[in-house]
Amino acid sequence: MQKSLYIDASKCTGCLQCELACSFENYGMFNPSRSRIKVFNFEHAGRKVPYTCTQCADAWCMNACPVDAIRIDAVTGAKVVHEAVCVGCKVCTIACPFGTINYVAETGKVQKCDLCGGDPACATACPTGAITYVDADWTGFDRMRAWAGKTDTAPRASA
């Protein structure tokens, strides 16, 4: 059973522990600018919302990559950037409709959430349970897909 990150924004306090944990896990430093998860601050609404790659089933970033640098991890299902292959062309950043893959000028490569190999640091660090790592079925995506599959837009014969 593959797992997914589940984000309950109503539980987020904006503590940024997720960003710090992510940057430490991936770069060995506490630097939110290096984090692969971001907490958006909706100042006027007084809300904080964590946001990261959703590991799309049909990943636009992966499909757009001209050098096959983004591949599926067979264990976690994460779409992982292979830095040795990435040429830094940024086509994936343009293809992602959610803006969750980013170019890193220092490396000349792109970065995105890779689920930390199956133990996401952001979920472990979240003190409020706003970010959890759950069975993919629990997120409800499969139920939404099933309902969407039931919709039939074909014209009906009238009785």
Side-chain angles (χ1 to χ4, degrees):
M1 171 67 59
Q2 290 193 339
K3 299 174 87 174
S4 299
L5 285 174
Y6 177 75
I7 296 175
D8 182 348
S10 69
K11 293 181 178 179
C12 181
T13 62
C15 70
L16 306 181
Q17 291 293 312
C18 56
E19 291 187 5
L20 294 171
C22 179
S23 67
F24 188 77
E25 176 71 21
N26 290 290
Y27 293 98
M29 64 176 67
F30 295 109
N31 184 347
S33 70
R34 296 283 184 102
S35 177
R36 298 172 183 186
I37 186 167
K38 301 293 180 193
V39 177
F40 290 117
N41 181 11
F42 293 93
E43 205 167 291
H44 296 295
R47 297 184 63 210
K48 314 283 187 187
V49 177
Y51 194 70
T52 191
C53 176
T54 59
Q55 309 296 339
C56 301
D58 190 17
W60 296 18
C61 62
M62 187 173 69
N63 293 332
C65 182
V67 294
D68 195 29
I70 302 173
R71 302 176 192 156
I72 298 173
D73 181 301
V75 175
T76 65
K79 281 58 177 190
V80 177
V81 176
H82 291 261
E83 285 193 14
V85 180
C86 178
V87 296
C89 68
K90 307 179 199 172
V91 171
C92 57
T93 66
I94 297 166
C96 176
F98 308 108
T100 58
I101 185 163
N102 300 297
Y103 179 75
V104 179
E106 292 85 13
T107 62
K109 312 286 182 175
V110 296
Q111 71 173 14
K112 63 178 286 307
C113 174
D114 61 2
L115 299 175
C116 297
D119 186 19
C122 58
T124 302
C126 182
T128 63
I131 305 168
T132 52
Y133 193 51
V134 298
D135 288 340
D137 288 344
W138 194 85
T139 61
F141 293 137
D142 286 340
R143 283 181 283 160
M144 288 191 297
R145 282 190 198 105
W147 276 103
K150 291 179 181 177
T151 59
D152 183 3
T153 57
R156 303 258 185 242
S158 57

